[in-house]
Amino acid sequence: MSTERTACGAPRAADAGSEVTVFGWVDRRRDHGNLIFLDLRDHSGILQVVISPQTAPAAHAAAHGVRLEYVLRVRGKLQPRTAQNVNTRIDTGEVELHAEECTVLSVAATPPFPVNEETDVEEGLRLRHRYLDLRRPRLQRNLRRRATFIAKLRTVMTEMGFTEIETPMMIRATPEGARDYLVPSRLQHGSFYALPQSPQLYKQLCMVAGLDRYFQVARCMRDEDLRADRQPEFTQLDIEMSFVDEEDVFAVLERAISTAWTASGFRGAITTPFPRLTWHEAMDRYGVDKPDVRFAMELCDLTETVRGCGFRVFNDAVSSGGVVKGITVTGGADLTRSDIEGRLTDVVRTFKARGLAYLWRRETGWVGGIAKFFSAAELEAIGEATGASVGDAVLMVADRPSVVAAALGALRNHVARERSLAEPDEMAMVWVTEFPMFERDEETGEVTPLHHPFTMVHSEDVDLLESEPLSIRSRAYDIVLNGREIGSGSIRITDPAIQRRVFAAMGIDEDAAQRKFGFLLEAFQYGVPPHGGFAAGVERLVMEGLGEANIRDVIAFPKNQQAQEPMTGAPAMVEEEQLRDLGLSLSLRPVAPAPPRAVPPE
RNA sequence: GGCCCCGUGGUGUAGCCUGGUUUAACACGCCACCCUGUCAAGGUGGAGAUCGUCGGUUCAAAUCCGAUCGGGGUCGCCA
């Protein structure tokens, strides 16, 4: 299009009198029979076009047949609006375009859902017509802000001396961690590439290579079930640095995120440095390893307070090695018995707690079904320990420590949401440090690494590797924002002796280690700098920054909960010939093959 | 795999609990006509859903029950 183009959102009062040509979609039309008003929309905004049958009969005739979402070219003169006709709701509201020529570039069928307003539409329909959903202002804004954020991250990282390096997308499968997406090899039948869950090993090899400071805006793929903040493919700001300890990594992340945050116009303010919290502290005080610290309502340990009390549930839990903890709901006197025994108990049951005990503190004293099991002194002590005042409620769980923590941690978040305890625009970043090195798999009983097997052991705990692996702290750390895990990283093991002992603790013998990670161990023999890094989830940051509750709303073409992409119908079956080329044959008939819609052949 | 929520014209909702005056209502959109200043334009008229699907209960089902499909949330899972 050789014509000079003026963006719809550009014209201002000062542009009145100029001759312009605009292109865009019809956002609204108001046809008065003679005079026709069209709101023309493009990426930049909306401009009112006026078409009069007297001054532009041909344009008027054309405009009469125009419908919503038609694509138009309009040439004319920008005119100022009279004072009473100014529209303050749009940026171009002080002017309007008096059409001289109006050309329909493309007609449009009636859209399956409104494009010109922000009504909620069923998500399946939105995904199926994603190009229309993306045409709407909210997603336009989200994608632009996301782009700004990423661009700024790149700038800051580069300024800090990092080199962006692209690592391969077709890599060797790693048995650890998330399920891999596999790509069959045509040249080596029976062999498969995997799509990267993260560039972890490559970035460490970059350190061996002496690249010193690596970063990448990396696409990652994990074949796991989806959540509101989890997609099978997502983007990480991936970082690795040589000759550093935790504080160096923290400083880089704090600067990168806070700078890009501000530059992208994200909500709230990010203040640095981010507060630090050890994993143990987080679990004790919040019950979760990703605490939302915008509100208090911290967990309070009542184990000793209730030891030997007359309430059997508590007593049994304590005497069998369990714990009793509670949270104090300020003003919780308004919680009814059915609130607590209904939906609040459902919350803790999800996390395997058998029930939720509760006490109200009223003017008249402690009330609640279990109050009668406690002596006055015990109730006094509970009040002391929980800090509950008159008008508050105390909600308690007794069980194994892990169950109590998970149940009350979830309950704390639930109650906070119900009662709007968090300031919506507060951005509470926190580093959670000193994660345990290992955990015991509840099902298999095996010791498995919490982070990955190259995470360095806390120097004070090295001697416990053989005797007490489960109590070892690692040098792994997470960033948590408003109760959401934003990313994680660690200082890595570069000492072969320690690496061997860590593998041993995990039950990986020398052979297995060589088989799985031999290339990395070999590389480390040639002079490896001490190094560490981090990976931050870009979508999760953008979600928080934009106040979006769902990751799909910050991704252009996301997958649904079944990991399908309803617009193109991926995944789909392939031709027999493609399988033959790859040396594959299917042993199972796919159960539900039909994609919602086939890709139209071009 | 478990649990929870949702499924009514093109879109968003009401009706469902307490089955029957509903020929299934409302708003937006759509179609036609009228209309010189609107900007969520206005007016008049019109088309459009047998209530996701299947089965059951009942004289009677959008409404009650069961199953199933689809969408979402969540637990498990995500080194």
Side-chain angles (χ1 to χ4, degrees), chain A residues 160 162 213 239 241-256 272-278 430-434 458 475-479 489-491 531-534:
Chain A
M160 288 191 286
F162 286 78
R213 293 185 147 205
I239 292 171
M241 308 161 68
S242 293
F243 309 109
V244 294
D245 61 22
E246 283 86 342
E247 291 301 326
D248 300 297
V249 178
F250 292 178
V252 162
L253 266 298
E254 285 169 357
R255 180 164 160 203
T272 59
F274 307 160
R276 319 277 158 89
L277 206 58
T278 65
V430 50
W431 288 105
V432 178
T433 64
E434 297 181 10
H458 194 295
R475 294 178 70 183
Y477 35 80
D478 278 6
I479 292 180
S490 66
I491 302 299
H531 60 280
F534 198 82

mmCIF file of all heavy atoms in Angstrom, chain A residues 160 162 213 239 241-256 272-278 430-434 458 475-479 489-491 531-534:
data_model
loop_
_atom_site.group_PDB
_atom_site.id
_atom_site.type_symbol
_atom_site.label_atom_id
_atom_site.label_comp_id
_atom_site.label_asym_id
_atom_site.label_seq_id
_atom_site.Cartn_x
_atom_site.Cartn_y
_atom_site.Cartn_z
ATOM 1 N N MET A 160 24.188 -5.544 31.708
ATOM 2 C CA MET A 160 24.914 -6.108 32.850
ATOM 3 C C MET A 160 26.001 -7.080 32.401
ATOM 4 O O MET A 160 26.578 -7.790 33.230
ATOM 5 C CB MET A 160 23.938 -6.806 33.811
ATOM 6 C CG MET A 160 23.069 -5.814 34.595
ATOM 7 S SD MET A 160 22.135 -6.568 35.954
ATOM 8 C CE MET A 160 20.850 -7.439 35.075
ATOM 9 N N PHE A 162 25.747 -9.638 30.140
ATOM 10 C CA PHE A 162 25.336 -11.000 29.783
ATOM 11 C C PHE A 162 25.266 -11.154 28.269
ATOM 12 O O PHE A 162 24.965 -10.194 27.553
ATOM 13 C CB PHE A 162 23.964 -11.323 30.387
ATOM 14 C CG PHE A 162 24.012 -11.571 31.861
ATOM 15 C CD1 PHE A 162 24.096 -10.507 32.751
ATOM 16 C CD2 PHE A 162 23.991 -12.863 32.361
ATOM 17 C CE1 PHE A 162 24.151 -10.732 34.120
ATOM 18 C CE2 PHE A 162 24.042 -13.091 33.731
ATOM 19 C CZ PHE A 162 24.130 -12.023 34.611
ATOM 20 N N ARG A 213 28.883 -15.016 31.451
ATOM 21 C CA ARG A 213 27.532 -14.620 31.851
ATOM 22 C C ARG A 213 26.587 -14.902 30.691
ATOM 23 O O ARG A 213 26.629 -14.213 29.670
ATOM 24 C CB ARG A 213 27.486 -13.132 32.209
ATOM 25 C CG ARG A 213 28.276 -12.805 33.452
ATOM 26 C CD ARG A 213 28.104 -11.352 33.856
ATOM 27 N NE ARG A 213 28.166 -11.225 35.312
ATOM 28 C CZ ARG A 213 27.602 -10.237 35.993
ATOM 29 N NH1 ARG A 213 26.938 -9.294 35.374
ATOM 30 N NH2 ARG A 213 27.711 -10.192 37.307
ATOM 31 N N ILE A 239 19.309 -17.757 33.120
ATOM 32 C CA ILE A 239 20.550 -17.041 33.450
ATOM 33 C C ILE A 239 21.557 -18.007 34.050
ATOM 34 O O ILE A 239 21.184 -18.911 34.797
ATOM 35 C CB ILE A 239 20.253 -15.923 34.477
ATOM 36 C CG1 ILE A 239 19.410 -14.823 33.837
ATOM 37 C CG2 ILE A 239 21.542 -15.334 35.057
ATOM 38 C CD1 ILE A 239 18.902 -13.796 34.823
ATOM 39 N N MET A 241 25.807 -17.693 35.616
ATOM 40 C CA MET A 241 26.928 -16.781 35.858
ATOM 41 C C MET A 241 28.102 -17.529 36.483
ATOM 42 O O MET A 241 27.899 -18.395 37.329
ATOM 43 C CB MET A 241 26.520 -15.678 36.848
ATOM 44 C CG MET A 241 25.255 -14.934 36.476
ATOM 45 S SD MET A 241 24.516 -14.058 37.893
ATOM 46 C CE MET A 241 25.754 -12.805 38.191
ATOM 47 N N SER A 242 29.298 -17.153 36.085
ATOM 48 C CA SER A 242 30.499 -17.784 36.635
ATOM 49 C C SER A 242 31.066 -16.973 37.788
ATOM 50 O O SER A 242 30.935 -15.746 37.811
ATOM 51 C CB SER A 242 31.576 -17.914 35.548
ATOM 52 O OG SER A 242 31.165 -18.830 34.568
ATOM 53 N N PHE A 243 31.747 -17.668 38.686
ATOM 54 C CA PHE A 243 32.453 -17.050 39.820
ATOM 55 C C PHE A 243 31.502 -16.225 40.684
ATOM 56 O O PHE A 243 31.744 -15.042 40.938
ATOM 57 C CB PHE A 243 33.624 -16.186 39.323
ATOM 58 C CG PHE A 243 34.532 -16.924 38.374
ATOM 59 C CD1 PHE A 243 34.554 -16.616 37.020
ATOM 60 C CD2 PHE A 243 35.345 -17.960 38.829
ATOM 61 C CE1 PHE A 243 35.368 -17.304 36.142
ATOM 62 C CE2 PHE A 243 36.176 -18.656 37.941
ATOM 63 C CZ PHE A 243 36.189 -18.326 36.596
ATOM 64 N N VAL A 244 30.406 -16.828 41.067
ATOM 65 C CA VAL A 244 29.414 -16.084 41.843
ATOM 66 C C VAL A 244 28.926 -16.897 43.032
ATOM 67 O O VAL A 244 29.084 -18.118 43.071
ATOM 68 C CB VAL A 244 28.175 -15.730 40.989
ATOM 69 C CG1 VAL A 244 28.547 -14.768 39.888
ATOM 70 C CG2 VAL A 244 27.509 -16.981 40.426
ATOM 71 N N ASP A 245 28.324 -16.207 43.965
ATOM 72 C CA ASP A 245 27.549 -16.876 44.995
ATOM 73 C C ASP A 245 26.119 -16.350 44.934
ATOM 74 O O ASP A 245 25.774 -15.584 44.025
ATOM 75 C CB ASP A 245 28.183 -16.697 46.386
ATOM 76 C CG ASP A 245 28.251 -15.240 46.790
ATOM 77 O OD1 ASP A 245 27.478 -14.421 46.238
ATOM 78 O OD2 ASP A 245 29.076 -14.906 47.654
ATOM 79 N N GLU A 246 25.304 -16.747 45.904
ATOM 80 C CA GLU A 246 23.887 -16.401 45.868
ATOM 81 C C GLU A 246 23.649 -14.901 45.662
ATOM 82 O O GLU A 246 22.822 -14.497 44.863
ATOM 83 C CB GLU A 246 23.201 -16.842 47.170
ATOM 84 C CG GLU A 246 22.917 -18.324 47.253
ATOM 85 C CD GLU A 246 24.090 -19.127 47.784
ATOM 86 O OE1 GLU A 246 25.229 -18.607 47.777
ATOM 87 O OE2 GLU A 246 23.882 -20.288 48.179
ATOM 88 N N GLU A 247 24.393 -14.107 46.425
ATOM 89 C CA GLU A 247 24.110 -12.673 46.406
ATOM 90 C C GLU A 247 24.319 -12.065 45.029
ATOM 91 O O GLU A 247 23.619 -11.130 44.642
ATOM 92 C CB GLU A 247 24.964 -11.949 47.457
ATOM 93 C CG GLU A 247 24.568 -12.282 48.896
ATOM 94 C CD GLU A 247 23.118 -11.928 49.216
ATOM 95 O OE1 GLU A 247 22.599 -10.918 48.676
ATOM 96 O OE2 GLU A 247 22.486 -12.671 49.996
ATOM 97 N N ASP A 248 25.288 -12.577 44.282
ATOM 98 C CA ASP A 248 25.516 -12.053 42.929
ATOM 99 C C ASP A 248 24.316 -12.359 42.031
ATOM 100 O O ASP A 248 23.882 -11.522 41.246
ATOM 101 C CB ASP A 248 26.774 -12.691 42.325
ATOM 102 C CG ASP A 248 28.002 -12.390 43.164
ATOM 103 O OD1 ASP A 248 28.356 -11.209 43.282
ATOM 104 O OD2 ASP A 248 28.590 -13.345 43.723
ATOM 105 N N VAL A 249 23.817 -13.578 42.168
ATOM 106 C CA VAL A 249 22.650 -13.968 41.366
ATOM 107 C C VAL A 249 21.439 -13.131 41.765
ATOM 108 O O VAL A 249 20.705 -12.605 40.906
ATOM 109 C CB VAL A 249 22.347 -15.474 41.537
ATOM 110 C CG1 VAL A 249 21.113 -15.867 40.739
ATOM 111 C CG2 VAL A 249 23.542 -16.315 41.110
ATOM 112 N N PHE A 250 21.264 -12.984 43.069
ATOM 113 C CA PHE A 250 20.108 -12.222 43.547
ATOM 114 C C PHE A 250 20.131 -10.798 42.988
ATOM 115 O O PHE A 250 19.102 -10.272 42.539
ATOM 116 C CB PHE A 250 20.106 -12.146 45.088
ATOM 117 C CG PHE A 250 19.848 -13.470 45.774
ATOM 118 C CD1 PHE A 250 19.869 -13.555 47.164
ATOM 119 C CD2 PHE A 250 19.593 -14.622 45.040
ATOM 120 C CE1 PHE A 250 19.628 -14.773 47.805
ATOM 121 C CE2 PHE A 250 19.369 -15.839 45.670
ATOM 122 C CZ PHE A 250 19.386 -15.906 47.063
ATOM 123 N N ALA A 251 21.305 -10.188 43.029
ATOM 124 C CA ALA A 251 21.418 -8.792 42.603
ATOM 125 C C ALA A 251 21.034 -8.635 41.127
ATOM 126 O O ALA A 251 20.342 -7.682 40.747
ATOM 127 C CB ALA A 251 22.840 -8.286 42.840
ATOM 128 N N VAL A 252 21.462 -9.594 40.314
ATOM 129 C CA VAL A 252 21.157 -9.532 38.880
ATOM 130 C C VAL A 252 19.650 -9.652 38.650
ATOM 131 O O VAL A 252 19.048 -8.871 37.906
ATOM 132 C CB VAL A 252 21.906 -10.648 38.125
ATOM 133 C CG1 VAL A 252 21.290 -10.879 36.751
ATOM 134 C CG2 VAL A 252 23.382 -10.288 37.989
ATOM 135 N N LEU A 253 19.034 -10.627 39.321
ATOM 136 C CA LEU A 253 17.593 -10.829 39.129
ATOM 137 C C LEU A 253 16.805 -9.637 39.634
ATOM 138 O O LEU A 253 15.833 -9.202 39.011
ATOM 139 C CB LEU A 253 17.146 -12.101 39.858
ATOM 140 C CG LEU A 253 17.094 -13.399 39.058
ATOM 141 C CD1 LEU A 253 16.090 -13.292 37.923
ATOM 142 C CD2 LEU A 253 18.450 -13.767 38.489
ATOM 143 N N GLU A 254 17.210 -9.124 40.764
ATOM 144 C CA GLU A 254 16.484 -7.990 41.338
ATOM 145 C C GLU A 254 16.532 -6.794 40.396
ATOM 146 O O GLU A 254 15.520 -6.131 40.149
ATOM 147 C CB GLU A 254 17.068 -7.634 42.716
ATOM 148 C CG GLU A 254 16.658 -8.635 43.788
ATOM 149 C CD GLU A 254 17.427 -8.484 45.094
ATOM 150 O OE1 GLU A 254 18.341 -7.631 45.164
ATOM 151 O OE2 GLU A 254 17.111 -9.234 46.039
ATOM 152 N N ARG A 255 17.711 -6.566 39.845
ATOM 153 C CA ARG A 255 17.825 -5.414 38.941
ATOM 154 C C ARG A 255 17.051 -5.657 37.651
ATOM 155 O O ARG A 255 16.321 -4.795 37.167
ATOM 156 C CB ARG A 255 19.297 -5.132 38.621
ATOM 157 C CG ARG A 255 19.423 -3.967 37.692
ATOM 158 C CD ARG A 255 20.829 -3.415 37.640
ATOM 159 N NE ARG A 255 20.982 -2.628 36.406
ATOM 160 C CZ ARG A 255 22.141 -2.377 35.839
ATOM 161 N NH1 ARG A 255 23.258 -2.841 36.369
ATOM 162 N NH2 ARG A 255 22.194 -1.673 34.736
ATOM 163 N N ALA A 256 17.200 -6.854 37.092
ATOM 164 C CA ALA A 256 16.545 -7.141 35.810
ATOM 165 C C ALA A 256 15.028 -7.021 35.944
ATOM 166 O O ALA A 256 14.366 -6.330 35.159
ATOM 167 C CB ALA A 256 16.926 -8.544 35.331
ATOM 168 N N THR A 272 13.624 -3.215 45.709
ATOM 169 C CA THR A 272 14.776 -4.096 45.899
ATOM 170 C C THR A 272 15.555 -3.623 47.119
ATOM 171 O O THR A 272 15.479 -2.444 47.465
ATOM 172 C CB THR A 272 15.688 -4.067 44.658
ATOM 173 O OG1 THR A 272 16.122 -2.726 44.446
ATOM 174 C CG2 THR A 272 14.964 -4.587 43.441
ATOM 175 N N PRO A 273 16.325 -4.481 47.741
ATOM 176 C CA PRO A 273 16.390 -5.919 47.476
ATOM 177 C C PRO A 273 15.129 -6.628 47.948
ATOM 178 O O PRO A 273 14.408 -6.111 48.785
ATOM 179 C CB PRO A 273 17.593 -6.360 48.316
ATOM 180 C CG PRO A 273 17.670 -5.370 49.425
ATOM 181 C CD PRO A 273 17.220 -4.056 48.841
ATOM 182 N N PHE A 274 14.872 -7.799 47.351
ATOM 183 C CA PHE A 274 13.728 -8.592 47.804
ATOM 184 C C PHE A 274 14.056 -9.179 49.173
ATOM 185 O O PHE A 274 15.184 -9.606 49.402
ATOM 186 C CB PHE A 274 13.445 -9.758 46.846
ATOM 187 C CG PHE A 274 13.287 -9.374 45.401
ATOM 188 C CD1 PHE A 274 13.439 -10.340 44.411
ATOM 189 C CD2 PHE A 274 12.985 -8.069 45.009
ATOM 190 C CE1 PHE A 274 13.295 -10.009 43.067
ATOM 191 C CE2 PHE A 274 12.852 -7.730 43.670
ATOM 192 C CZ PHE A 274 13.004 -8.709 42.696
ATOM 193 N N PRO A 275 13.077 -9.234 50.062
ATOM 194 C CA PRO A 275 13.316 -9.862 51.366
ATOM 195 C C PRO A 275 13.723 -11.329 51.201
ATOM 196 O O PRO A 275 13.380 -11.963 50.201
ATOM 197 C CB PRO A 275 11.965 -9.762 52.067
ATOM 198 C CG PRO A 275 11.156 -8.810 51.277
ATOM 199 C CD PRO A 275 11.709 -8.748 49.913
ATOM 200 N N ARG A 276 14.469 -11.845 52.174
ATOM 201 C CA ARG A 276 14.924 -13.241 52.129
ATOM 202 C C ARG A 276 14.224 -14.018 53.232
ATOM 203 O O ARG A 276 13.989 -13.488 54.314
ATOM 204 C CB ARG A 276 16.437 -13.338 52.377
ATOM 205 C CG ARG A 276 17.257 -12.274 51.705
ATOM 206 C CD ARG A 276 17.545 -12.638 50.284
ATOM 207 N NE ARG A 276 17.857 -11.435 49.502
ATOM 208 C CZ ARG A 276 19.064 -10.929 49.362
ATOM 209 N NH1 ARG A 276 20.090 -11.475 49.946
ATOM 210 N NH2 ARG A 276 19.241 -9.849 48.606
ATOM 211 N N LEU A 277 13.982 -15.263 52.921
ATOM 212 C CA LEU A 277 13.311 -16.135 53.869
ATOM 213 C C LEU A 277 13.900 -17.516 53.628
ATOM 214 O O LEU A 277 13.967 -17.957 52.483
ATOM 215 C CB LEU A 277 11.827 -16.136 53.520
ATOM 216 C CG LEU A 277 10.745 -16.413 54.532
ATOM 217 C CD1 LEU A 277 10.844 -15.422 55.682
ATOM 218 C CD2 LEU A 277 9.387 -16.274 53.857
ATOM 219 N N THR A 278 14.316 -18.196 54.675
ATOM 220 C CA THR A 278 14.777 -19.560 54.414
ATOM 221 C C THR A 278 13.559 -20.460 54.220
ATOM 222 O O THR A 278 12.451 -20.133 54.654
ATOM 223 C CB THR A 278 15.608 -20.137 55.584
ATOM 224 O OG1 THR A 278 14.759 -20.266 56.713
ATOM 225 C CG2 THR A 278 16.790 -19.237 55.901
ATOM 226 N N VAL A 430 9.808 -12.173 47.235
ATOM 227 C CA VAL A 430 10.609 -12.699 48.330
ATOM 228 C C VAL A 430 11.498 -13.839 47.811
ATOM 229 O O VAL A 430 11.093 -14.605 46.939
ATOM 230 C CB VAL A 430 9.703 -13.153 49.510
ATOM 231 C CG1 VAL A 430 8.592 -14.047 49.051
ATOM 232 C CG2 VAL A 430 10.504 -13.807 50.608
ATOM 233 N N TRP A 431 12.725 -13.849 48.298
ATOM 234 C CA TRP A 431 13.621 -14.973 47.994
ATOM 235 C C TRP A 431 13.390 -16.042 49.047
ATOM 236 O O TRP A 431 13.419 -15.742 50.245
ATOM 237 C CB TRP A 431 15.087 -14.544 48.076
ATOM 238 C CG TRP A 431 15.563 -13.665 46.968
ATOM 239 C CD1 TRP A 431 15.794 -12.328 47.023
ATOM 240 C CD2 TRP A 431 15.915 -14.074 45.645
ATOM 241 N NE1 TRP A 431 16.241 -11.865 45.807
ATOM 242 C CE2 TRP A 431 16.329 -12.918 44.939
ATOM 243 C CE3 TRP A 431 15.908 -15.303 44.979
ATOM 244 C CZ2 TRP A 431 16.733 -12.959 43.609
ATOM 245 C CZ3 TRP A 431 16.311 -15.333 43.648
ATOM 246 C CH2 TRP A 431 16.721 -14.176 42.975
ATOM 247 N N VAL A 432 13.171 -17.250 48.619
ATOM 248 C CA VAL A 432 13.123 -18.373 49.551
ATOM 249 C C VAL A 432 14.400 -19.161 49.326
ATOM 250 O O VAL A 432 14.665 -19.626 48.201
ATOM 251 C CB VAL A 432 11.877 -19.247 49.335
ATOM 252 C CG1 VAL A 432 11.890 -20.439 50.282
ATOM 253 C CG2 VAL A 432 10.620 -18.418 49.530
ATOM 254 N N THR A 433 15.206 -19.271 50.371
ATOM 255 C CA THR A 433 16.549 -19.841 50.225
ATOM 256 C C THR A 433 16.684 -21.128 51.010
ATOM 257 O O THR A 433 15.802 -21.506 51.793
ATOM 258 C CB THR A 433 17.603 -18.845 50.740
ATOM 259 O OG1 THR A 433 17.393 -18.663 52.150
ATOM 260 C CG2 THR A 433 17.473 -17.500 50.038
ATOM 261 N N GLU A 434 17.806 -21.785 50.809
ATOM 262 C CA GLU A 434 18.162 -22.991 51.586
ATOM 263 C C GLU A 434 17.083 -24.056 51.524
ATOM 264 O O GLU A 434 16.646 -24.593 52.541
ATOM 265 C CB GLU A 434 18.472 -22.603 53.040
ATOM 266 C CG GLU A 434 19.669 -21.701 53.158
ATOM 267 C CD GLU A 434 19.998 -21.341 54.607
ATOM 268 O OE1 GLU A 434 19.403 -21.950 55.522
ATOM 269 O OE2 GLU A 434 20.842 -20.460 54.802
ATOM 270 N N HIS A 458 24.654 -27.057 50.892
ATOM 271 C CA HIS A 458 25.049 -26.021 51.846
ATOM 272 C C HIS A 458 26.336 -26.466 52.540
ATOM 273 O O HIS A 458 26.413 -27.595 53.018
ATOM 274 C CB HIS A 458 23.914 -25.853 52.862
ATOM 275 C CG HIS A 458 24.012 -24.624 53.689
ATOM 276 N ND1 HIS A 458 25.022 -24.411 54.585
ATOM 277 C CD2 HIS A 458 23.224 -23.519 53.738
ATOM 278 C CE1 HIS A 458 24.850 -23.228 55.176
ATOM 279 N NE2 HIS A 458 23.761 -22.671 54.664
ATOM 280 N N ARG A 475 21.889 -25.162 48.157
ATOM 281 C CA ARG A 475 22.049 -23.753 47.808
ATOM 282 C C ARG A 475 21.105 -23.409 46.662
ATOM 283 O O ARG A 475 21.468 -22.723 45.712
ATOM 284 C CB ARG A 475 23.506 -23.466 47.461
ATOM 285 C CG ARG A 475 24.415 -23.627 48.681
ATOM 286 C CD ARG A 475 25.856 -23.388 48.353
ATOM 287 N NE ARG A 475 26.146 -21.982 48.058
ATOM 288 C CZ ARG A 475 27.352 -21.531 47.681
ATOM 289 N NH1 ARG A 475 28.352 -22.388 47.559
ATOM 290 N NH2 ARG A 475 27.528 -20.255 47.428
ATOM 291 N N ALA A 476 19.893 -23.900 46.774
ATOM 292 C CA ALA A 476 18.840 -23.592 45.795
ATOM 293 C C ALA A 476 17.944 -22.498 46.358
ATOM 294 O O ALA A 476 17.788 -22.388 47.569
ATOM 295 C CB ALA A 476 18.009 -24.830 45.492
ATOM 296 N N TYR A 477 17.393 -21.711 45.467
ATOM 297 C CA TYR A 477 16.564 -20.587 45.908
ATOM 298 C C TYR A 477 15.466 -20.338 44.883
ATOM 299 O O TYR A 477 15.601 -20.646 43.701
ATOM 300 C CB TYR A 477 17.422 -19.330 46.064
ATOM 301 C CG TYR A 477 18.537 -19.250 45.044
ATOM 302 C CD1 TYR A 477 18.289 -18.816 43.748
ATOM 303 C CD2 TYR A 477 19.838 -19.664 45.362
ATOM 304 C CE1 TYR A 477 19.297 -18.784 42.802
ATOM 305 C CE2 TYR A 477 20.851 -19.634 44.421
ATOM 306 C CZ TYR A 477 20.575 -19.184 43.141
ATOM 307 O OH TYR A 477 21.561 -19.168 42.193
ATOM 308 N N ASP A 478 14.367 -19.811 45.360
ATOM 309 C CA ASP A 478 13.227 -19.456 44.500
ATOM 310 C C ASP A 478 12.936 -17.977 44.645
ATOM 311 O O ASP A 478 13.215 -17.391 45.697
ATOM 312 C CB ASP A 478 11.962 -20.198 44.958
ATOM 313 C CG ASP A 478 11.881 -21.618 44.431
ATOM 314 O OD1 ASP A 478 12.864 -22.072 43.802
ATOM 315 O OD2 ASP A 478 10.849 -22.271 44.658
ATOM 316 N N ILE A 479 12.336 -17.406 43.613
ATOM 317 C CA ILE A 479 11.690 -16.105 43.793
ATOM 318 C C ILE A 479 10.197 -16.371 43.862
ATOM 319 O O ILE A 479 9.646 -17.103 43.028
ATOM 320 C CB ILE A 479 11.941 -15.126 42.629
ATOM 321 C CG1 ILE A 479 13.393 -14.700 42.575
ATOM 322 C CG2 ILE A 479 11.067 -13.871 42.794
ATOM 323 C CD1 ILE A 479 13.675 -13.734 41.431
ATOM 324 N N GLY A 489 16.536 -21.230 41.089
ATOM 325 C CA GLY A 489 17.909 -21.388 40.639
ATOM 326 C C GLY A 489 18.747 -21.958 41.753
ATOM 327 O O GLY A 489 18.228 -22.317 42.814
ATOM 328 N N SER A 490 20.040 -22.059 41.480
ATOM 329 C CA SER A 490 20.922 -22.592 42.510
ATOM 330 C C SER A 490 22.365 -22.293 42.157
ATOM 331 O O SER A 490 22.690 -21.944 41.025
ATOM 332 C CB SER A 490 20.734 -24.109 42.645
ATOM 333 O OG SER A 490 21.165 -24.779 41.474
ATOM 334 N N ILE A 491 23.197 -22.428 43.163
ATOM 335 C CA ILE A 491 24.628 -22.521 42.935
ATOM 336 C C ILE A 491 24.893 -23.988 42.637
ATOM 337 O O ILE A 491 24.316 -24.867 43.281
ATOM 338 C CB ILE A 491 25.415 -22.061 44.194
ATOM 339 C CG1 ILE A 491 25.009 -20.630 44.552
ATOM 340 C CG2 ILE A 491 26.913 -22.189 43.970
ATOM 341 C CD1 ILE A 491 25.300 -19.590 43.487
ATOM 342 N N HIS A 531 29.896 -21.766 39.498
ATOM 343 C CA HIS A 531 28.849 -21.010 38.815
ATOM 344 C C HIS A 531 27.483 -21.285 39.420
ATOM 345 O O HIS A 531 27.304 -22.227 40.188
ATOM 346 C CB HIS A 531 28.854 -21.297 37.315
ATOM 347 C CG HIS A 531 28.620 -22.738 36.963
ATOM 348 N ND1 HIS A 531 29.613 -23.700 37.031
ATOM 349 C CD2 HIS A 531 27.514 -23.385 36.535
ATOM 350 C CE1 HIS A 531 29.123 -24.869 36.649
ATOM 351 N NE2 HIS A 531 27.849 -24.718 36.354
ATOM 352 N N GLY A 532 26.563 -20.447 39.049
ATOM 353 C CA GLY A 532 25.199 -20.598 39.528
ATOM 354 C C GLY A 532 24.281 -19.803 38.623
ATOM 355 O O GLY A 532 24.731 -19.026 37.782
ATOM 356 N N GLY A 533 22.999 -20.016 38.790
ATOM 357 C CA GLY A 533 22.089 -19.316 37.893
ATOM 358 C C GLY A 533 20.660 -19.338 38.375
ATOM 359 O O GLY A 533 20.374 -19.634 39.546
ATOM 360 N N PHE A 534 19.804 -19.042 37.417
ATOM 361 C CA PHE A 534 18.391 -18.863 37.759
ATOM 362 C C PHE A 534 17.564 -18.964 36.485
ATOM 363 O O PHE A 534 18.052 -18.729 35.385
ATOM 364 C CB PHE A 534 18.181 -17.478 38.385
ATOM 365 C CG PHE A 534 16.883 -17.375 39.142
ATOM 366 C CD1 PHE A 534 16.787 -17.851 40.429
ATOM 367 C CD2 PHE A 534 15.765 -16.804 38.551
ATOM 368 C CE1 PHE A 534 15.595 -17.773 41.133
ATOM 369 C CE2 PHE A 534 14.571 -16.714 39.248
ATOM 370 C CZ PHE A 534 14.487 -17.195 40.538
#
